[in-house]
Amino acid sequence: MKVYAIDGLIPVVHPTAYVHPSATLIGDVIVGPGCYIGPSASLRGDFGRIVLEEGGNVQDTCVIHGFPHSDTVVELDGHIGHGAVLHGCRIGRNVMVGMNAVVMDLAVIGESSIVAAMSFVKAGMDVPARSLVMGAPARIARALREEEIAWKTEGTAQYHALTRRSLASMQEVEALTAVEENRPRIALVAGLPAYGIKS
C-alpha cells in the first residue's frame, strides 16, 4: 500500500485489515479491524478525517475525500462498490453503495440501505434506514425487503472472507505463459445469490 503522512498525520491501519499495495492512503485515515481496501482505491485524509469501521470494504478505484474539518465515515460492515465516490458523508451500518455511485457532503445513508449503482446522492440528503435509493439525482424508491438486506449482508461476508484470504495468500507473482491442466477455480463462501436488487 502507498501510505503518506501529511502535516504530521499518519494513516492508521488495523493489523487485521487488508489494503491492496496499489491503494493510496493519505493523512487522517483510520482503517478498522477486518476492513478490505481494493486495488487503486484512494483515501485522502488531507482535509478531513476518513474512518472505516470494522468489516467495511472499499473496492477497486473508489475515492474517499471531504471538505476541511469534515468526517467521512463508513460504519460497521459498510460496502462500497467499485468506482464509488464518497465525499464528506456518513454511510450507515450495513449499507451498500453501488458501483460508480456518488454520495456527497453531509449526506447520511441510514442503516441497511442500498444506494443503487450510478446514483448521485445530493449534499445533505438524509436517507432513512432500510431504503433503496436510486437515480441522478437520487430519490428514495422504496423500503428494502428482508431478503434484499440478507443478500447485501451475504455479499459483505464474501468481502470479510476476501480480507482474510488476501492477508493469507495475496502476493505479487509473474504471470504464467499458458493455462495449466485442470486449472482450479476460486472457492467462495457458499450461499451467495447470483443476482442483485431489482427495482
Side-chain angles (χ1 to χ4, degrees), residues 78-167:
H79 187 112
I80 313 303
H82 314 288
V85 176
L86 307 181
H87 203 275
C89 56
R90 177 171 284 271
I91 306 301
R93 179 180 182 145
N94 200 42
V95 164
M96 182 173 82
V97 175
M99 293 181 265
N100 289 310
V102 175
V103 184
M104 292 299 293
D105 300 274
L106 302 177
V108 177
I109 310 298
E111 180 176 348
S112 297
S113 291
I114 294 176
V115 177
M118 304 291 288
S119 295
F120 179 81
V121 177
K122 294 188 296 186
M125 185 173 184
D126 193 355
V127 175
R130 305 168 68 88
S131 297
L132 174 61
V133 179
M134 57 194 318
R139 60 179 177 77
I140 298 166
R142 61 173 173 79
L144 286 169
R145 296 184 288 272
E146 289 297 331
E147 61 269 21
E148 293 168 331
I149 295 171
W151 171 83
K152 182 273 166 200
T153 301
E154 290 166 358
T156 301
Q158 291 284 1
Y159 272 88
H160 293 163
L162 180 59
T163 299
R164 295 188 296 272
R165 290 168 50 216
S166 296
L167 287 169

Coordinates of all heavy atoms in Angstrom, one line a residue, residues 78-167:
G78 N -20.0 -1.5 6.2 CA -20.3 -0.7 5.0 C -19.6 -1.3 3.8 O -18.5 -1.9 3.9
H79 N -20.3 -1.3 2.7 CA -19.9 -2.0 1.5 C -19.9 -1.0 0.3 O -21.0 -0.6 -0.1 CB -20.9 -3.1 1.3 CG -20.6 -4.1 0.2 ND1 -20.3 -5.4 0.4 CD2 -20.6 -3.9 -1.2 CE1 -20.1 -6.0 -0.7 NE2 -20.3 -5.2 -1.7
I80 N -18.7 -0.6 -0.1 CA -18.6 0.5 -1.1 C -18.1 -0.1 -2.4 O -17.0 -0.6 -2.5 CB -17.6 1.6 -0.6 CG1 -17.9 2.0 0.8 CG2 -17.7 2.8 -1.6 CD1 -19.3 2.5 1.1
G81 N -19.0 -0.1 -3.4 CA -18.8 -0.8 -4.7 C -17.8 -0.2 -5.6 O -17.5 1.0 -5.4
H82 N -17.3 -0.9 -6.5 CA -16.3 -0.5 -7.5 C -16.5 0.9 -8.0 O -17.6 1.2 -8.5 CB -16.2 -1.4 -8.7 CG -16.2 -2.9 -8.3 ND1 -15.1 -3.5 -7.7 CD2 -17.2 -3.8 -8.4 CE1 -15.4 -4.8 -7.4 NE2 -16.7 -5.0 -7.9
G83 N -15.5 1.8 -7.9 CA -15.6 3.1 -8.6 C -16.5 4.1 -7.9 O -16.7 5.2 -8.4
A84 N -17.0 3.8 -6.7 CA -17.9 4.8 -6.0 C -17.0 6.0 -5.4 O -15.8 5.8 -5.2 CB -18.6 4.1 -4.9
V85 N -17.7 7.1 -5.2 CA -17.1 8.3 -4.7 C -17.9 8.7 -3.5 O -19.1 8.9 -3.5 CB -17.0 9.4 -5.7 CG1 -16.4 10.7 -5.1 CG2 -16.2 9.1 -6.9
L86 N -17.2 8.8 -2.3 CA -17.8 9.3 -1.1 C -17.1 10.6 -0.7 O -15.8 10.7 -0.7 CB -17.6 8.4 0.1 CG -18.0 6.9 -0.1 CD1 -17.8 6.1 1.1 CD2 -19.5 6.8 -0.6
H87 N -17.9 11.7 -0.4 CA -17.2 13.0 -0.1 C -18.0 13.6 1.1 O -19.1 14.0 1.0 CB -17.3 13.9 -1.3 CG -16.3 15.0 -1.3 ND1 -16.5 16.2 -0.6 CD2 -15.1 15.1 -1.8 CE1 -15.4 17.0 -0.8 NE2 -14.5 16.3 -1.5
G88 N -17.3 13.5 2.2 CA -17.8 14.2 3.4 C -19.2 13.7 3.9 O -19.9 14.5 4.5
C89 N -19.5 12.4 3.7 CA -20.8 11.9 4.0 C -20.6 10.8 5.1 O -19.6 10.5 5.6 CB -21.4 11.3 2.8 SG -20.3 10.0 2.0
R90 N -21.8 10.3 5.6 CA -21.8 9.2 6.5 C -22.6 8.0 5.9 O -23.8 8.2 5.6 CB -22.5 9.6 7.9 CG -22.5 8.4 8.9 CD -23.0 8.9 10.2 NE -21.9 9.6 11.0 CZ -21.0 8.9 11.7 NH1 -21.1 7.6 11.9 NH2 -20.0 9.6 12.3
I91 N -21.9 6.9 5.8 CA -22.5 5.7 5.3 C -22.8 4.8 6.5 O -21.9 4.4 7.2 CB -21.5 4.9 4.4 CG1 -21.1 5.9 3.2 CG2 -22.2 3.7 3.8 CD1 -22.2 6.5 2.4
G92 N -24.1 4.5 6.8 CA -24.5 3.8 8.0 C -24.1 2.4 8.0 O -23.7 1.8 7.0
R93 N -24.4 1.8 9.1 CA -24.1 0.3 9.4 C -24.8 -0.5 8.3 O -26.0 -0.3 8.0 CB -24.6 0.0 10.8 CG -24.4 -1.4 11.2 CD -24.9 -1.7 12.6 NE -24.6 -3.0 13.0 CZ -24.3 -3.4 14.2 NH1 -24.2 -2.5 15.2 NH2 -24.1 -4.7 14.5
N94 N -24.1 -1.5 7.8 CA -24.6 -2.5 6.8 C -25.2 -1.9 5.6 O -26.0 -2.4 4.9 CB -25.6 -3.4 7.5 CG -25.8 -4.7 6.8 OD1 -24.9 -5.3 6.4 ND2 -27.1 -5.1 6.7
V95 N -24.7 -0.7 5.2 CA -25.2 -0.1 3.9 C -24.3 -0.5 2.8 O -23.1 -0.8 2.9 CB -25.1 1.5 4.1 CG1 -25.1 2.2 2.7 CG2 -26.2 2.0 5.0
M96 N -24.9 -0.6 1.6 CA -24.2 -0.9 0.3 C -24.3 0.3 -0.6 O -25.4 0.8 -0.8 CB -24.7 -2.1 -0.4 CG -23.9 -2.4 -1.7 SD -24.3 -3.9 -2.5 CE -25.7 -3.4 -3.4
V97 N -23.2 0.9 -1.0 CA -23.2 1.9 -2.0 C -22.7 1.2 -3.3 O -21.6 0.6 -3.4 CB -22.2 3.0 -1.7 CG1 -22.1 4.1 -2.8 CG2 -22.6 3.7 -0.4
G98 N -23.6 1.3 -4.4 CA -23.3 0.5 -5.6 C -22.2 1.1 -6.4 O -21.7 2.2 -6.2
M99 N -21.9 0.4 -7.5 CA -20.8 0.7 -8.4 C -21.0 2.1 -9.0 O -22.1 2.4 -9.5 CB -20.6 -0.3 -9.4 CG -20.1 -1.7 -8.9 SD -19.9 -2.9 -10.2 CE -21.5 -3.7 -10.1
N100 N -19.9 2.9 -9.0 CA -19.9 4.2 -9.6 C -21.0 5.2 -9.1 O -21.3 6.2 -9.7 CB -20.0 4.1 -11.1 CG -18.8 3.6 -11.7 OD1 -17.7 4.0 -11.5 ND2 -18.9 2.5 -12.6
A101 N -21.5 4.9 -7.9 CA -22.4 5.9 -7.2 C -21.6 7.0 -6.6 O -20.4 6.8 -6.3 CB -23.3 5.2 -6.2
V102 N -22.2 8.1 -6.4 CA -21.6 9.3 -5.7 C -22.4 9.7 -4.6 O -23.6 9.9 -4.7 CB -21.4 10.5 -6.7 CG1 -20.8 11.7 -6.0 CG2 -20.5 10.1 -7.9
V103 N -21.8 9.8 -3.4 CA -22.5 10.3 -2.2 C -21.8 11.6 -1.7 O -20.7 11.5 -1.4 CB -22.6 9.2 -1.1 CG1 -23.4 9.7 0.1 CG2 -23.2 7.9 -1.6
M104 N -22.6 12.7 -1.7 CA -22.0 14.0 -1.5 C -22.0 14.4 0.0 O -22.5 13.7 0.9 CB -22.7 15.0 -2.3 CG -22.4 14.8 -3.8 SD -20.7 15.0 -4.3 CE -20.4 16.7 -3.9
D105 N -21.4 15.6 0.2 CA -21.2 16.1 1.6 C -22.5 16.2 2.4 O -23.5 16.6 2.0 CB -20.6 17.5 1.5 CG -19.3 17.5 0.7 OD1 -18.2 17.2 1.3 OD2 -19.3 17.6 -0.5
L106 N -22.3 15.8 3.7 CA -23.3 15.9 4.7 C -24.5 15.0 4.4 O -25.5 15.0 5.2 CB -23.8 17.3 5.0 CG -22.7 18.3 5.4 CD1 -23.3 19.7 5.5 CD2 -22.0 17.8 6.7
A107 N -24.5 14.2 3.4 CA -25.5 13.2 3.2 C -25.3 12.1 4.2 O -24.2 11.8 4.6 CB -25.4 12.6 1.8
V108 N -26.4 11.5 4.7 CA -26.4 10.4 5.7 C -27.2 9.3 5.1 O -28.4 9.5 4.8 CB -27.0 10.8 7.0 CG1 -27.0 9.7 8.0 CG2 -26.2 12.0 7.6
I109 N -26.6 8.1 4.9 CA -27.3 6.9 4.4 C -27.6 6.0 5.6 O -26.7 5.5 6.2 CB -26.5 6.2 3.3 CG1 -26.0 7.2 2.3 CG2 -27.3 5.1 2.7 CD1 -27.0 7.9 1.5
G110 N -28.9 5.8 5.9 CA -29.3 5.1 7.0 C -29.0 3.6 7.0 O -28.9 3.0 5.9
E111 N -29.0 3.0 8.1 CA -28.6 1.6 8.3 C -29.3 0.7 7.4 O -30.5 0.8 7.1 CB -28.9 1.2 9.8 CG -28.6 -0.2 10.1 CD -28.8 -0.6 11.5 OE1 -29.0 0.3 12.4 OE2 -28.7 -1.8 11.8
S112 N -28.6 -0.3 6.8 CA -29.1 -1.4 6.0 C -29.8 -0.8 4.7 O -30.8 -1.5 4.3 CB -30.0 -2.3 6.8 OG -29.3 -2.9 7.8
S113 N -29.4 0.3 4.2 CA -29.9 0.8 3.0 C -29.0 0.4 1.8 O -27.9 0.0 2.0 CB -30.0 2.4 3.0 OG -31.0 2.7 3.9
I114 N -29.5 0.6 0.6 CA -28.7 0.3 -0.6 C -28.8 1.5 -1.5 O -29.9 2.0 -1.8 CB -29.2 -1.0 -1.3 CG1 -28.9 -2.2 -0.4 CG2 -28.5 -1.1 -2.7 CD1 -29.4 -3.5 -1.0
V115 N -27.7 2.1 -1.9 CA -27.6 3.1 -2.9 C -27.3 2.4 -4.3 O -26.3 1.8 -4.4 CB -26.6 4.2 -2.6 CG1 -26.4 5.2 -3.7 CG2 -26.8 4.8 -1.3
A116 N -28.2 2.5 -5.2 CA -28.1 1.8 -6.5 C -26.9 2.3 -7.3 O -26.4 3.4 -7.1 CB -29.3 1.9 -7.3
A117 N -26.3 1.4 -8.1 CA -25.2 1.7 -9.0 C -25.6 3.0 -9.8 O -26.7 3.2 -10.2 CB -24.9 0.6 -9.9
M118 N -24.6 3.8 -10.0 CA -24.6 5.1 -10.8 C -25.5 6.1 -10.2 O -25.8 7.1 -10.9 CB -25.1 4.7 -12.2 CG -24.3 3.7 -13.0 SD -22.7 4.3 -13.4 CE -23.1 5.5 -14.7
S119 N -26.0 6.0 -9.0 CA -26.8 7.0 -8.4 C -26.0 8.2 -7.9 O -24.8 8.1 -7.6 CB -27.5 6.5 -7.2 OG -28.4 5.5 -7.5
F120 N -26.6 9.4 -7.8 CA -26.0 10.6 -7.3 C -26.8 11.1 -6.2 O -27.9 11.6 -6.3 CB -25.9 11.7 -8.4 CG -25.3 13.0 -8.0 CD1 -23.9 13.1 -7.9 CD2 -26.0 14.0 -7.5 CE1 -23.3 14.2 -7.4 CE2 -25.5 15.2 -7.1 CZ -24.1 15.3 -7.0
V121 N -26.2 10.9 -5.0 CA -26.9 11.4 -3.7 C -26.4 12.8 -3.4 O -25.2 13.0 -3.2 CB -26.5 10.4 -2.6 CG1 -27.2 10.9 -1.3 CG2 -27.0 9.0 -2.9
K122 N -27.4 13.7 -3.5 CA -27.0 15.2 -3.3 C -26.6 15.5 -1.9 O -26.9 14.8 -0.9 CB -28.3 16.0 -3.6 CG -28.7 15.9 -5.0 CD -29.8 17.0 -5.3 CE -31.1 16.7 -4.6 NZ -32.2 17.6 -5.0
A123 N -25.8 16.6 -1.8 CA -25.4 17.0 -0.5 C -26.5 17.2 0.5 O -27.6 17.8 0.1 CB -24.6 18.4 -0.6
G124 N -26.4 16.7 1.7 CA -27.3 16.9 2.8 C -28.5 16.0 2.7 O -29.4 16.0 3.6
M125 N -28.6 15.1 1.8 CA -29.7 14.1 1.7 C -29.7 13.2 2.9 O -28.6 12.7 3.3 CB -29.7 13.3 0.4 CG -30.9 12.4 0.3 SD -30.9 11.6 -1.4 CE -32.5 10.8 -1.3
D126 N -30.8 13.0 3.5 CA -30.9 12.1 4.7 C -31.8 10.9 4.3 O -33.0 11.1 4.1 CB -31.5 12.9 5.9 CG -31.4 12.2 7.2 OD1 -30.9 11.0 7.2 OD2 -31.8 12.7 8.2
V127 N -31.2 9.8 4.2 CA -31.9 8.5 3.8 C -32.3 7.7 5.0 O -31.4 7.3 5.8 CB -31.0 7.7 2.8 CG1 -31.6 6.4 2.4 CG2 -30.6 8.6 1.6
P128 N -33.6 7.4 5.1 CA -34.0 6.5 6.3 C -33.4 5.1 6.2 O -33.0 4.7 5.1 CB -35.5 6.5 6.1 CG -35.9 7.6 5.2 CD -34.7 7.8 4.3
A129 N -33.3 4.5 7.3 CA -32.8 3.1 7.3 C -33.6 2.2 6.4 O -34.8 2.5 6.2 CB -32.9 2.5 8.8
R130 N -33.0 1.2 5.9 CA -33.6 0.1 5.1 C -34.3 0.6 3.8 O -35.4 0.2 3.4 CB -34.6 -0.7 6.0 CG -33.9 -1.2 7.2 CD -34.9 -1.7 8.2 NE -35.6 -2.9 7.7 CZ -35.2 -4.2 7.9 NH1 -34.0 -4.4 8.5 NH2 -35.8 -5.2 7.4
S131 N -33.7 1.6 3.2 CA -34.2 2.2 1.9 C -33.4 1.8 0.7 O -32.2 1.6 0.8 CB -34.2 3.7 2.1 OG -35.0 4.2 3.1
L132 N -34.1 1.7 -0.4 CA -33.4 1.6 -1.7 C -33.4 3.0 -2.3 O -34.5 3.6 -2.5 CB -34.2 0.7 -2.6 CG -33.7 0.6 -4.1 CD1 -32.2 0.1 -4.1 CD2 -34.6 -0.3 -4.9
V133 N -32.2 3.5 -2.6 CA -32.0 4.9 -3.1 C -31.5 4.7 -4.6 O -30.5 3.9 -4.8 CB -31.0 5.6 -2.3 CG1 -30.8 7.0 -2.8 CG2 -31.5 5.7 -0.8
M134 N -32.1 5.4 -5.5 CA -31.6 5.3 -6.9 C -31.8 6.6 -7.7 O -32.7 7.3 -7.4 CB -32.2 4.1 -7.5 CG -33.7 4.1 -7.6 SD -34.5 2.5 -8.0 CE -33.5 1.9 -9.3
G135 N -31.1 6.7 -8.7 CA -31.3 7.8 -9.7 C -30.2 8.9 -9.6 O -29.4 8.9 -8.7
A136 N -30.3 9.9 -10.5 CA -29.4 11.0 -10.5 C -30.2 12.3 -10.9 O -30.5 12.4 -12.1 CB -28.3 10.8 -11.5
P137 N -30.7 13.0 -10.0 CA -30.4 12.9 -8.5 C -31.1 11.8 -7.9 O -32.2 11.3 -8.4 CB -30.8 14.3 -7.9 CG -31.9 14.7 -8.9 CD -31.5 14.2 -10.2
A138 N -30.5 11.2 -6.8 CA -31.1 10.1 -6.2 C -32.4 10.4 -5.5 O -32.6 11.5 -5.0 CB -30.1 9.5 -5.1
R139 N -33.3 9.4 -5.4 CA -34.6 9.5 -4.7 C -34.7 8.2 -3.9 O -34.1 7.2 -4.3 CB -35.7 9.8 -5.6 CG -35.9 8.7 -6.6 CD -37.1 8.9 -7.6 NE -37.2 7.9 -8.6 CZ -37.6 6.7 -8.4 NH1 -38.1 6.3 -7.2 NH2 -37.6 5.8 -9.3
I140 N -35.6 8.2 -2.9 CA -35.9 7.0 -2.2 C -37.0 6.3 -3.0 O -38.1 6.8 -3.1 CB -36.3 7.3 -0.8 CG1 -35.2 8.0 0.0 CG2 -36.8 6.1 0.0 CD1 -35.6 8.7 1.3
A141 N -36.6 5.1 -3.5 CA -37.5 4.4 -4.4 C -38.5 3.6 -3.6 O -39.7 3.5 -3.9 CB -36.7 3.4 -5.3
R142 N -38.1 3.0 -2.5 CA -39.0 2.1 -1.7 C -38.2 1.6 -0.5 O -37.0 1.7 -0.4 CB -39.6 1.0 -2.5 CG -38.5 0.0 -3.0 CD -39.2 -1.2 -3.7 NE -38.2 -2.0 -4.4 CZ -37.4 -2.9 -3.8 NH1 -37.4 -3.0 -2.5 NH2 -36.6 -3.6 -4.6
A143 N -38.9 0.9 0.4 CA -38.2 0.2 1.5 C -37.7 -1.1 1.0 O -38.2 -1.7 0.0 CB -39.2 -0.1 2.6
L144 N -36.6 -1.5 1.6 CA -36.0 -2.8 1.2 C -36.7 -4.0 1.8 O -37.2 -3.9 3.0 CB -34.5 -2.9 1.6 CG -33.5 -2.0 0.7 CD1 -32.2 -1.9 1.4 CD2 -33.4 -2.6 -0.7
R145 N -36.7 -5.1 1.1 CA -37.3 -6.3 1.7 C -36.2 -7.1 2.5 O -35.0 -6.9 2.3 CB -37.8 -7.2 0.5 CG -39.0 -6.5 -0.2 CD -39.5 -7.4 -1.3 NE -38.6 -7.6 -2.4 CZ -38.6 -6.8 -3.5 NH1 -39.4 -5.8 -3.6 NH2 -37.8 -7.0 -4.5
E146 N -36.7 -7.9 3.4 CA -35.7 -8.7 4.2 C -34.7 -9.5 3.4 O -33.6 -9.5 3.7 CB -36.5 -9.6 5.2 CG -37.3 -8.9 6.3 CD -36.4 -8.1 7.2 OE1 -35.2 -8.5 7.4 OE2 -36.8 -7.1 7.8
E147 N -35.2 -10.1 2.3 CA -34.3 -10.9 1.5 C -33.2 -10.1 0.8 O -32.1 -10.5 0.5 CB -35.1 -11.8 0.5 CG -35.9 -11.0 -0.5 CD -37.3 -10.8 -0.1 OE1 -37.6 -10.8 1.2 OE2 -38.2 -10.6 -1.0
E148 N -33.6 -8.8 0.5 CA -32.6 -7.9 -0.1 C -31.5 -7.5 0.9 O -30.3 -7.5 0.5 CB -33.3 -6.7 -0.7 CG -34.2 -7.1 -1.9 CD -35.1 -5.9 -2.3 OE1 -35.5 -5.1 -1.4 OE2 -35.5 -5.9 -3.5
I149 N -31.9 -7.2 2.1 CA -30.9 -6.9 3.1 C -30.1 -8.1 3.4 O -28.8 -8.0 3.6 CB -31.6 -6.4 4.4 CG1 -32.3 -5.1 4.1 CG2 -30.6 -6.3 5.6 CD1 -33.2 -4.6 5.2
A150 N -30.7 -9.3 3.4 CA -29.9 -10.6 3.6 C -28.9 -10.8 2.5 O -27.7 -11.2 2.7 CB -30.8 -11.8 3.7
W151 N -29.3 -10.4 1.3 CA -28.4 -10.6 0.1 C -27.2 -9.6 0.3 O -26.1 -10.0 0.0 CB -29.2 -10.2 -1.2 CG -28.3 -10.0 -2.4 CD1 -27.9 -11.0 -3.2 CD2 -27.8 -8.8 -2.9 NE1 -27.1 -10.5 -4.2 CE2 -27.1 -9.2 -4.1 CE3 -27.9 -7.5 -2.6 CZ2 -26.4 -8.2 -4.9 CZ3 -27.2 -6.5 -3.3 CH2 -26.5 -6.9 -4.5
K152 N -27.4 -8.4 0.7 CA -26.3 -7.5 0.9 C -25.4 -8.0 2.0 O -24.2 -8.0 1.9 CB -26.9 -6.1 1.3 CG -25.8 -5.0 1.5 CD -25.3 -5.0 3.0 CE -24.0 -4.2 3.1 NZ -23.2 -4.6 4.2
T153 N -26.0 -8.5 3.1 CA -25.2 -9.0 4.2 C -24.3 -10.1 3.8 O -23.1 -10.2 4.2 CB -26.1 -9.4 5.4 OG1 -26.9 -8.2 5.8 CG2 -25.3 -9.9 6.6
E154 N -24.9 -11.0 3.0 CA -24.1 -12.2 2.5 C -23.0 -11.7 1.5 O -21.9 -12.3 1.6 CB -25.0 -13.2 1.8 CG -26.0 -13.9 2.7 CD -27.1 -14.6 2.0 OE1 -27.2 -14.5 0.8 OE2 -27.9 -15.2 2.7
G155 N -23.3 -10.7 0.7 CA -22.2 -10.2 -0.1 C -21.1 -9.6 0.7 O -19.9 -9.7 0.3
T156 N -21.4 -8.9 1.7 CA -20.3 -8.3 2.6 C -19.5 -9.4 3.3 O -18.3 -9.3 3.5 CB -21.0 -7.3 3.6 OG1 -21.6 -6.3 2.9 CG2 -19.9 -6.7 4.5
A157 N -20.2 -10.5 3.6 CA -19.5 -11.6 4.2 C -18.4 -12.2 3.3 O -17.4 -12.6 3.7 CB -20.5 -12.7 4.6
Q158 N -18.7 -12.1 1.9 CA -17.7 -12.5 1.0 C -16.5 -11.6 1.1 O -15.3 -12.1 0.9 CB -18.3 -12.5 -0.5 CG -19.3 -13.5 -0.8 CD -18.7 -14.9 -1.0 OE1 -17.5 -15.1 -0.9 NE2 -19.6 -15.8 -1.3
Y159 N -16.7 -10.3 1.3 CA -15.5 -9.4 1.5 C -14.8 -9.6 2.8 O -13.6 -9.4 2.9 CB -16.0 -8.0 1.3 CG -15.9 -7.6 -0.2 CD1 -17.0 -7.9 -1.1 CD2 -14.7 -7.1 -0.8 CE1 -16.9 -7.6 -2.4 CE2 -14.6 -6.9 -2.1 CZ -15.7 -7.1 -2.9 OH -15.6 -6.8 -4.3
H160 N -15.5 -10.0 3.8 CA -14.9 -10.4 5.1 C -13.9 -11.5 4.8 O -12.7 -11.5 5.3 CB -15.9 -10.8 6.2 CG -16.7 -9.7 6.7 ND1 -17.9 -9.9 7.3 CD2 -16.6 -8.3 6.6 CE1 -18.5 -8.8 7.6 NE2 -17.7 -7.8 7.2
A161 N -14.4 -12.5 4.1 CA -13.6 -13.7 3.7 C -12.4 -13.3 2.8 O -11.3 -13.8 3.0 CB -14.4 -14.8 3.1
L162 N -12.7 -12.3 1.9 CA -11.6 -11.9 1.0 C -10.5 -11.2 1.7 O -9.3 -11.3 1.4 CB -12.2 -11.0 -0.1 CG -11.2 -10.4 -1.1 CD1 -10.5 -11.5 -1.9 CD2 -11.9 -9.5 -2.1
T163 N -10.9 -10.5 2.8 CA -9.8 -9.8 3.6 C -8.9 -10.9 4.2 O -7.7 -10.8 4.1 CB -10.5 -9.0 4.8 OG1 -11.3 -8.0 4.2 CG2 -9.5 -8.4 5.7
R164 N -9.5 -11.9 4.7 CA -8.7 -13.0 5.3 C -7.9 -13.7 4.3 O -6.7 -14.0 4.4 CB -9.6 -14.0 6.1 CG -10.2 -13.3 7.3 CD -11.0 -14.3 8.2 NE -12.1 -15.0 7.5 CZ -13.3 -14.5 7.5 NH1 -13.6 -13.4 8.1 NH2 -14.3 -15.2 6.8
R165 N -8.5 -14.0 3.1 CA -7.8 -14.7 2.0 C -6.6 -13.8 1.5 O -5.6 -14.4 1.2 CB -8.8 -15.0 0.9 CG -9.8 -16.0 1.2 CD -10.9 -16.1 0.1 NE -10.4 -16.1 -1.2 CZ -11.0 -15.5 -2.3 NH1 -12.1 -14.8 -2.1 NH2 -10.4 -15.7 -3.5
S166 N -6.9 -12.5 1.4 CA -5.8 -11.7 0.9 C -4.6 -11.6 1.8 O -3.5 -11.6 1.4 CB -6.4 -10.3 0.6 OG -7.4 -10.3 -0.4
L167 N -4.9 -11.5 3.1 CA -3.9 -11.4 4.1 C -3.0 -12.7 4.1 O -1.8 -12.7 4.3 CB -4.4 -11.2 5.5 CG -4.9 -9.8 5.8 CD1 -5.7 -9.7 7.1 CD2 -3.8 -8.8 5.9

